Amino acid sequence: MKRVAAVAVAAASVLAVAGCSSSGDGKNKGGESRGNPGVTKEERERADAEARERAKDTAAMKDAAVRYVKAYVAHDVRTMCSLMTPNRRGGDGSFDGCVKHFEELGDGKPGSEVTVSVEGSPVDVSPIGTHPQGTGLMVKQTTADGAGASVRRQAMRMLKTDGAWLVDQKVTVRDEDMSAGNPVRNVLMRSPE
């Protein structure tokens, strides 16, 4: 019994020296967190709100890229042009000019069953040619047909314009590009199309 009491006293001493306690709310008198000295509850809440906004913004960017590719596959020219920057639309950069250009290319039939998704995380992309600094994404397009499935990847430069994410550059990613350290950045920086 004496041994158990000695161990308990030793453990309590260690906890007291380390500053551990089973009581309290984890804060100092000033409202600062003990786990992160100098950070108030308000600062922590503000940082959490900013993180939620960034996540929402990233989700909106990915959604715009996926909708663009789906519109392209479905030959939905109006939706596709609405998701492009004036630079990407070409010509005079207008929506109507873009629609006319793509309608003149032909109205082929939409492809078979296609699944579109974003792979990896967004990356910052430096300016090149007529393309300003933006955010790069890897968009994967999987087409199912009778023989199996084919995969096509595209690197896309996304720009936020007037609160909306738009496609400014789109470049096909080849199989050999995938071995690069950052295929999205490499492809978008080598090809100013």
Side-chain angles (χ1 to χ4, degrees):
M1 188 67 161
K2 287 184 179 184
R3 178 181 274 174
V4 172
V7 169
V9 168
S13 298
V14 169
L15 290 174
V17 170
C20 296
S21 169
S22 61
S23 64
D25 62 0
K27 296 179 183 172
N28 294 328
K29 288 183 182 178
E32 296 176 351
S33 169
R34 285 186 183 161
N36 196 354
V39 177
T40 65
K41 178 181 177 186
E42 292 79 20
E43 291 170 328
R44 202 170 42 256
E45 288 172 352
R46 186 174 35 251
D48 290 346
E50 288 171 1
R52 283 191 300 274
E53 281 303 310
R54 279 192 304 275
K56 205 158 92 174
D57 194 46
T58 298
M61 176 179 43
K62 290 178 178 181
D63 178 64
V66 167
R67 285 188 299 127
Y68 172 85
V69 173
K70 285 182 176 181
Y72 178 83
V73 169
H75 300 270
D76 179 356
V77 172
R78 297 188 75 73
T79 299
M80 189 176 70
C81 288
S82 73
L83 293 167
M84 295 176 165
T85 63
N87 183 47
R88 175 82 184 138
R89 289 177 187 157
D92 64 1
S94 71
F95 174 78
D96 292 335
C98 177
V99 170
K100 183 178 179 185
H101 170 74
F102 282 100
E103 284 178 345
E104 287 175 356
L105 292 178
D107 57 341
K109 296 184 180 179
S112 36
E113 187 62 31
V114 175
T115 304
V116 181
S117 60
V118 174
E119 288 186 334
S121 299
V123 296
D124 291 331
V125 185
S126 300
I128 184 172
T130 61
H131 303 290
Q133 182 167 342
T135 304
L137 290 177
M138 174 84 71
V139 180
K140 179 181 173 184
Q141 181 180 328
T142 307
T143 306
D145 57 26
S150 63
V151 174
R152 180 179 185 197
R153 288 182 176 84
Q154 295 172 323
M156 296 178 131
R157 180 184 301 260
M158 304 295 293
L159 301 180
K160 193 168 188 180
T161 307
D162 297 328
W165 284 100
L166 302 174
V167 177
D168 189 67
Q169 182 185 17
K170 177 183 80 166
V171 181
T172 299
V173 179
R174 301 176 308 234
D175 290 340
E176 56 268 24
D177 295 325
M178 292 301 292
S179 62
N182 193 322
V184 171
R185 186 176 289 127
N186 290 353
V187 169
L188 292 174
M189 293 308 296
R190 80 155 184 253
S191 180
E193 64 180 51

